[in-house]
Amino acid sequence: MLLTACAPLVVAAPAQVPAPTQPLHMAHFDLAQPVNPSTAETSTPFQPDPATATPTDTPAPPTVTPTAIAAPTDTQAPTEQASNPTAEPTTTVQASSGRTHYTFYMSLDYAGRQVAVNETITYTNTTGQALNDIVMAVEPNLWNNCFTLVSLSQDNSEATTYDLSGQRLTLRLGEPLAPGGVANLALGYAMNLPQKDPTGRFGYTAAQVNLTDWFPFIVPYSGGWVLHDTWPFGETMTYDSADYDVNLKVSDPDVIVAASAPAEVNGDVTHYHLDAARTFALSASDRFKVDESAVGSIKIRSYYFAGDGDASQAVVWMATQSLALYQAKFAAYPYQSLSIVETSLADGQEFDGLVFLSSAFYSSYNGSARSNLVTIGTHEIAHQWWFGLVGDDQAMEPWLDEALAVYSERIFYEYNYPNYGDWWWNFRVNYFGPTGYVDSSVYSFLTFRGYVDAVYLNGANFLDDLRTRIGDEAFFAFLKDYAAQFSYRRATTADFFAVLRQHTSRDFSDIVNTYFQGSY
C-alpha cells in the first residue's frame, strides 16, 4: 500500500472575502446558445454514466459474523467536549444541550465485508410530551440478509416489545417517557454488507467499503415520528443533530479509513468524536491514496485511487477555497475536518464532515474548473452548511438544502472564476430548461430529471431572481442570519421566508408566485 500526500497547505479563513473582478450579479444568459455539457462530461451533469464507475465484481461475502469489540470496563469515562463544534476533538458524554448521544464499539472485517456493532444511545425527550414509543430508522434492513439485530435493551433491561419492519424499528416503552426524561438504549447487531450498486452509496465494491446511514438512529419527532418512505431518487431521511463517539477496529492494518471526524488512534482501536451532526459516515479501502490540506485548524483530506492524482489535487484546491469562502459568506464550518472520498456513484453525496464524489468525475477531469469534479465537489461541500448545519425535511422540502447548495456553486465561481459565470449557468442550469415548482417533495416526481430540474435548478433560478430583487447586501446578510438562527436545527420553507423578511422590505411576492406552489 503506497500512501501519498502533498505537504499540507494551510489556508486561513479570510475575515472578508475580496470582491470579484466583475459585478456579483449576472443574468441567466442566452438560452439560445447553451453550452453542451456532454462535450467534456456526461450527458447530464448530475448523473454520470454508471458504466464508468468502479467495478463491483467481487464475490459475495461469507456468512461468518465478526465479534464486535467490547466497551472497555477499565478506562475512565469520556469527558464532555466544549459546546463549540469546531473545537479540537475530545471524548465526550451526553451533551448538556439535550442532543441525542450515540456511542459505538464496532469491528470491520474488511475482507469479509462484515461489521459487528455494540451501540448505545442516550436520548432525552425534548418533544414536550410523554412518549409511549421510540422510533428508529434502520436503513441497512432494506437489504436482504444484511442486518441482524442481536440484542436490544432499555435502561439495562431487555426490550421485549419492539417491531422491526423494513427500515422502521419501533420500541414500545414499558412506561411513558416524560418530557425531559432520559432513555438509555443498547443495541447489538451485525451487518453482512451488500455489494454496492454502481449508483448507490452503502455497501462494498472491489475497491472499498462505504458505511452510510449504517446504524439505527432515533428519527425526529414533530407531532409524530418523522420517518418517510423510501423513493427511487432523492434523499428521504430527516435527522436531528446528535453527538457521536465511534470506536472502530479494522481487521486489516493496511486499510485506510475516511471518516466524518478526525481519527484518534489508541492501539488497534481508532476513536472518532463528532458533535452536533446529522449522521456519521465511514469509507474504508486498502487502495486509498491521500492528499491533505487545511483551512486554519480544519483538516482537509482527499481520498482517491491510483491514476487520479491530478484530480485529487484539484479537489484539494477546490475544498480549501470552498471552506474559506463559505465560512465568510455563511457561517463558521461546523466540524473539525473534511474528508472528500472518491467512489463509484451516480454523482456526489453529502454527509457531515465527509462527501463522496463519483469516480467518473476523477477519470474525466480535464484539468479545468469547468468540470463536474469542481462543480459538484463544491456543491457537496456547501451541504456542510445546507444540510449539516441547517437541517430540513429532505423528503418533503428538499429545496431548502439542494437549491442553496446549487446556488453556492454559483457563488464559488463568482469569487474564484468570475469569467466562468456564463459557462456555469449554461452547463448547470440553462441547458436543461428547468421547470417545475421549487417547493415540491421528492414524491412529486416520477423521474430524477424532473426532480432535479424543479428543486435544484429552478431553485437556483429563484435564488438568483431573489438576490437581484433585494440586492447583494440584504441577500448575504439574510444567508448569514438564516444559518445563525437555524444552526443545529431543522428549518422549514416558512422559516426561510420569515428570516428573509427580516432583511428586506422589498416586495418579492411575484417571484414567489412564479416558482412556488405554496403561499409564503
Side-chain angles (χ1 to χ4, degrees), residues 39-178:
T39 56
E41 295 289 350
T42 54
S43 59
T44 63
F46 231 87
Q47 282 219 303
D49 185 356
T52 64
T54 303
T56 58
D57 55 355
T58 53
T63 57
V64 177
T65 302
T67 302
I69 59 175
T73 58
D74 57 349
T75 56
Q76 184 177 358
T79 56
E80 184 174 350
Q81 185 182 13
S83 59
N84 180 5
T86 61
E88 293 300 317
T90 59
T91 52
T92 187
V93 294
Q94 169 69 3
S96 60
S97 64
R99 288 191 300 263
T100 301
H101 185 266
Y102 296 88
T103 301
F104 305 91
Y105 291 91
M106 58 187 296
S107 63
L108 167 63
D109 179 353
Y110 181 78
R113 283 91 180 209
Q114 297 194 350
V115 184
V117 185
N118 292 323
E119 173 182 351
T120 59
I121 307 173
T122 303
Y123 173 76
T124 303
N125 180 5
T126 59
T127 68
Q129 64 184 75
L131 299 174
N132 294 314
D133 57 20
I134 292 176
V135 173
M136 287 173 269
V138 189
E139 190 168 280
N141 201 47
L142 294 173
W143 280 265
N144 290 332
N145 304 316
C146 172
F147 183 85
T148 301
L149 182 61
V150 177
S151 62
L152 174 59
S153 64
Q154 177 194 346
D155 299 322
N156 298 317
S157 296
E158 181 180 358
T160 58
T161 309
Y162 66 87
D163 175 68
L164 176 58
S165 178
Q167 65 174 343
R168 188 183 188 94
L169 173 58
T170 303
L171 171 63
R172 295 173 183 83
L173 304 177
E175 296 181 358
L177 184 63

Side-chain angles (χ1 to χ4, degrees), residues 384-401:
Q384 304 304 300
W385 287 264
W386 317 125
F387 161 77
L389 182 64
V390 179
D392 60 88
D393 188 324
Q394 295 187 109
M396 304 309 294
E397 296 183 300
W399 83 273
L400 286 167
D401 61 270

Side-chain angles (χ1 to χ4, degrees), residues 31-382:
L31 285 173
Q33 296 182 338
V35 174
N36 183 352
S38 64
T39 56
E41 295 289 350
T42 54
S43 59
T44 63
F46 231 87
Q47 282 219 303
D49 185 356
T52 64
T54 303
T56 58
D57 55 355
T58 53
T63 57
V64 177
T65 302
T67 302
I69 59 175
T73 58
D74 57 349
T75 56
Q76 184 177 358
T79 56
E80 184 174 350
Q81 185 182 13
S83 59
N84 180 5
T86 61
E88 293 300 317
T90 59
T91 52
T92 187
V93 294
Q94 169 69 3
S96 60
S97 64
R99 288 191 300 263
T100 301
H101 185 266
Y102 296 88
T103 301
F104 305 91
Y105 291 91
M106 58 187 296
S107 63
L108 167 63
D109 179 353
Y110 181 78
R113 283 91 180 209
Q114 297 194 350
V115 184
V117 185
N118 292 323
E119 173 182 351
T120 59
I121 307 173
T122 303
Y123 173 76
T124 303
N125 180 5
T126 59
T127 68
Q129 64 184 75
L131 299 174
N132 294 314
D133 57 20
I134 292 176
V135 173
M136 287 173 269
V138 189
E139 190 168 280
N141 201 47
L142 294 173
W143 280 265
N144 290 332
N145 304 316
C146 172
F147 183 85
T148 301
L149 182 61
V150 177
S151 62
L152 174 59
S153 64
Q154 177 194 346
D155 299 322
N156 298 317
S157 296
E158 181 180 358
T160 58
T161 309
Y162 66 87
D163 175 68
L164 176 58
S165 178
Q167 65 174 343
R168 188 183 188 94
L169 173 58
T170 303
L171 171 63
R172 295 173 183 83
L173 304 177
E175 296 181 358
L177 184 63
V182 177
N184 295 286
L185 309 180
L187 304 89
Y189 51 93
M191 290 183 289
N192 218 18
L193 297 177
Q195 188 171 357
K196 192 179 79 64
D197 182 275
T199 62
R201 300 164 297 180
F202 175 72
Y204 72 89
T205 73
Q208 68 196 126
V209 165
N210 291 339
L211 297 180
T212 60
D213 288 320
W214 52 274
F215 56 89
F217 70 91
I218 298 175
V219 300
Y221 189 95
S222 181
W225 297 105
V226 182
L227 179 57
H228 300 296
D229 292 336
T230 59
W231 197 243
F233 47 79
E235 288 83 59
T236 58
M237 287 292 187
T238 303
Y239 311 86
D240 283 328
S241 288
D243 301 333
Y244 300 88
D245 279 289
V246 179
N247 300 279
L248 173 66
K249 183 176 182 179
V250 182
S251 60
D252 187 340
D254 292 328
V255 168
I256 294 174
V257 177
S260 289
E264 300 172 358
V265 179
N266 183 13
D268 60 355
V269 175
T270 302
H271 174 253
Y272 305 92
H273 175 76
L274 185 65
D275 267 341
R278 308 290 164 179
T279 188
F280 194 101
L282 298 157
S283 181
S285 176
D286 58 2
R287 306 183 192 180
F288 275 149
K289 298 178 181 294
V290 184
D291 287 330
E292 295 185 343
S293 180
V295 175
S297 63
I298 303 163
K299 299 296 188 294
I300 298 170
R301 291 182 176 88
S302 167
Y303 298 82
Y304 66 100
F305 298 114
D308 292 331
D310 289 345
S312 175
Q313 288 293 310
V315 164
V316 167
W317 183 91
M318 174 274 298
T320 58
Q321 299 303 316
S322 296
L323 259 66
L325 177 62
Y326 297 155
Q327 286 199 108
K329 305 306 285 186
F330 306 150
Y333 181 71
Y335 313 115
Q336 302 155 13
S337 62
L338 174 64
S339 300
I340 306 104
V341 183
E342 178 182 356
T343 193
S344 62
L345 195 66
D347 40 73
Q349 185 65 52
E350 75 278 4
F351 295 91
D352 302 78
L354 183 149
V355 301
F356 289 104
L357 292 177
S358 170
S359 290
F361 296 164
Y362 290 75
S363 62
S364 64
Y365 176 61
N366 56 14
S368 168
R370 298 188 184 194
S371 63
N372 275 326
L373 186 71
V374 175
T375 301
I376 308 303
T378 195
H379 174 106
E380 302 304 343
I381 290 173

